[in-house]
Amino acid sequence: MSSLPTEEDHRLTPVFQEDRVCTGVTTVRGRVFLSYPSADRPGVQVVEALPDGRRVPYPDAAWNRADQPPSGAFVHVNGLRAGPDGRLWIVDSGSPRIGGAQVPGGARLIAVDPDDDRVERVYHLDEAVHPGSYVDDVRFNGRVAYFSDAGAAGLIVLDLDSGRARRVLDGHPSTAGGPVVADGRALRDPDGTEVRLHADQLEVSPDGRWLYYQPASGGMSRIAARWLDDPSVPADELARRVERWCDTPSTGGTAIDAAGSIYLSDLERRRVLVLAPDGGVRTLVADPRLAWVDAMWLDADARLWMPAAQLHLTAGLNGGVSTVEYPVQIYRMPVGIGPPARDHA
């Protein structure tokens, strides 16, 4: 087993304690939103975390209904974040689980205006997904959104004005995942089969020039955004523009700051690393409580939010046996530098 930290770091502040596995946190205009991937049990998928401790279904209870057609309800939320316009953007994977089949009309990007808690627009990604796709996460670059696909190796590019979605780097080695290792062991499904998660983490450089991305098993690549944004660039030319950037470990989530440093969770050693723009790597924090830090969030007060999701201890990734220790914690710590300007209105 990998050497795990034994001492708790006093810089980590427990912010929320959840009775379900929680993988996403984001702040919008002083409000806090959380997402649950139903990895341990079904239930509400997106909530607003109120100061009095209540969890209110968001944008309303109807969107969080189970087993409903995707016309007005989530299939499976896997990511959420504030966009450059101050809206809350929710990623619906379109599949009930990794390895499951796409629900027609389920893969979507949903924009919610927090001023009136109303769904303003739904972007459908059907034309860019495969039957085994699992749309994972999103990042913005002007009027373009980039998505990772953890179920079928590839990326998706969405024009926010036209609503047209394109699949790029489909099956490219840089988007294809290998064995994911957490706490010294590879993930296995209830049948004992090794789990592989394809394109997962992605970040846009503060100047908008580069998209950094990787599968969950690590190995970060980058490509100039101008190549991705141009639909006339042939697939083989796009593949040639990919650069290997850093030999990263198995990773649960990332964030990027205004200086271009990428914060990256190391699932193998329960720590968070900082990948500098020049390629240098240092440890930000190592703590035994940081069990599978998933989608991180860097807020306007230069605080890094870290959901310790324990996904590798859920039955679906732990050979059919759940060993999750409740409550599931979300931590926060100051990092001294805020997010790129585009990440907050």
Side-chain angles (χ1 to χ4, degrees), residues 229-287:
D229 297 350
D230 185 351
S232 69
V233 176
D236 57 350
E237 175 65 16
L238 202 61
R240 284 195 292 270
R241 297 293 178 175
V242 172
E243 302 177 14
R244 181 76 168 194
W245 181 243
C246 185
D247 290 328
T248 52
S250 291
T251 302
T254 58
I256 194 168
D257 66 23
S261 292
I262 296 174
Y263 301 82
L264 176 142
S265 70
D266 180 353
L267 302 181
E268 301 178 35
R269 295 176 177 83
R270 297 198 180 192
R271 60 182 181 170
V272 173
L273 306 176
V274 182
L275 174 56
D278 64 3
V281 181
R282 65 180 175 87
T283 299
L284 173 70
V285 58
D287 190 295

Side-chain angles (χ1 to χ4, degrees), residues 111-129:
V112 184
D113 186 346
D115 283 343
D116 56 11
D117 303 322
R118 180 175 60 88
V119 173
E120 282 200 340
R121 184 168 179 179
V122 176
Y123 292 89
H124 290 275
L125 307 177
D126 298 63
E127 60 186 328
V129 296

Side-chain angles (χ1 to χ4, degrees), residues 78 105 122 124 181 289:
N78 196 68
V122 176
H124 290 275
V181 178
R289 297 171 292 176

Side-chain angles (χ1 to χ4, degrees), residues 6-287:
T6 56
E7 297 184 3
E8 295 185 356
D9 194 307
H10 70 278
R11 296 173 298 168
L12 288 177
T13 300
V15 183
F16 295 124
Q17 295 77 44
E18 303 300 306
D19 62 1
R20 295 171 59 206
V21 168
C22 177
T23 55
V25 58
T26 195
T27 55
V28 182
R29 303 177 191 175
R31 301 165 70 181
V32 182
F33 299 94
L34 309 175
S35 64
Y36 309 90
S38 302
D40 47 355
R41 60 182 173 86
V44 172
Q45 299 192 51
V46 180
V47 302
E48 180 177 2
L50 298 182
D52 63 8
R54 287 182 297 145
R55 303 289 184 263
V56 179
Y58 198 83
D60 56 35
W63 272 93
N64 285 274
R65 292 176 303 180
D67 301 321
Q68 295 294 320
S71 55
F74 301 129
V75 174
H76 190 108
V77 171
N78 196 68
L80 79 170
R81 65 186 293 108
D85 52 8
R87 291 175 175 81
L88 179 69
W89 295 81
I90 301 170
V91 179
D92 194 325
S93 69
S95 173
R97 65 187 182 281
I98 288 280
Q102 275 285 312
V103 174
R108 293 161 293 171
L109 178 65
I110 301 159
V112 184
D113 186 346
D115 283 343
D116 56 11
D117 303 322
R118 180 175 60 88
V119 173
E120 282 200 340
R121 184 168 179 179
V122 176
Y123 292 89
H124 290 275
L125 307 177
D126 298 63
E127 60 186 328
V129 296
H130 290 321
S133 286
Y134 184 90
V135 183
D136 192 86
D137 210 346
V138 66
R139 293 296 183 269
F140 300 97
N141 191 10
R143 297 300 298 167
V144 176
Y146 308 113
F147 302 82
S148 52
D149 188 340
L155 303 177
I156 296 169
V157 179
L158 171 68
D159 184 308
L160 292 170
D161 291 325
S162 70
R164 293 297 306 274
R166 297 179 289 114
R167 190 171 186 87
V168 297
L169 298 175
D170 189 29
H172 190 271
S174 64
T175 65
V180 180
V181 178
D183 290 355
R185 62 169 184 81
L187 306 185
R188 294 192 180 276
D189 69 16
D191 295 327
T193 303
E194 200 169 70
V195 175
R196 300 197 175 206
L197 306 176
H198 299 299
D200 192 335
Q201 295 82 32
L202 70 172
E203 297 293 343
V204 177
S205 62
D207 59 10
R209 290 184 58 200
W210 296 96
L211 177 71
Y212 298 89
Y213 64 93
Q214 65 170 50
S217 54
M220 183 173 287
S221 300
R222 72 175 188 175
I223 185 170
R226 67 187 183 97
W227 299 114
L228 290 175
D229 297 350
D230 185 351
S232 69
V233 176
D236 57 350
E237 175 65 16
L238 202 61
R240 284 195 292 270
R241 297 293 178 175
V242 172
E243 302 177 14
R244 181 76 168 194
W245 181 243
C246 185
D247 290 328
T248 52
S250 291
T251 302
T254 58
I256 194 168
D257 66 23
S261 292
I262 296 174
Y263 301 82
L264 176 142
S265 70
D266 180 353
L267 302 181
E268 301 178 35
R269 295 176 177 83
R270 297 198 180 192
R271 60 182 181 170
V272 173
L273 306 176
V274 182
L275 174 56
D278 64 3
V281 181
R282 65 180 175 87
T283 299
L284 173 70
V285 58
D287 190 295

Side-chain angles (χ1 to χ4, degrees), residues 314-338:
T314 61
L317 300 178
N318 192 36
V321 179
S322 175
T323 56
V324 174
E325 296 183 9
Y326 296 95
V328 172
Q329 302 276 355
I330 299 176
Y331 298 97
R332 190 174 65 197
M333 70 173 284
V335 293
I337 186 168

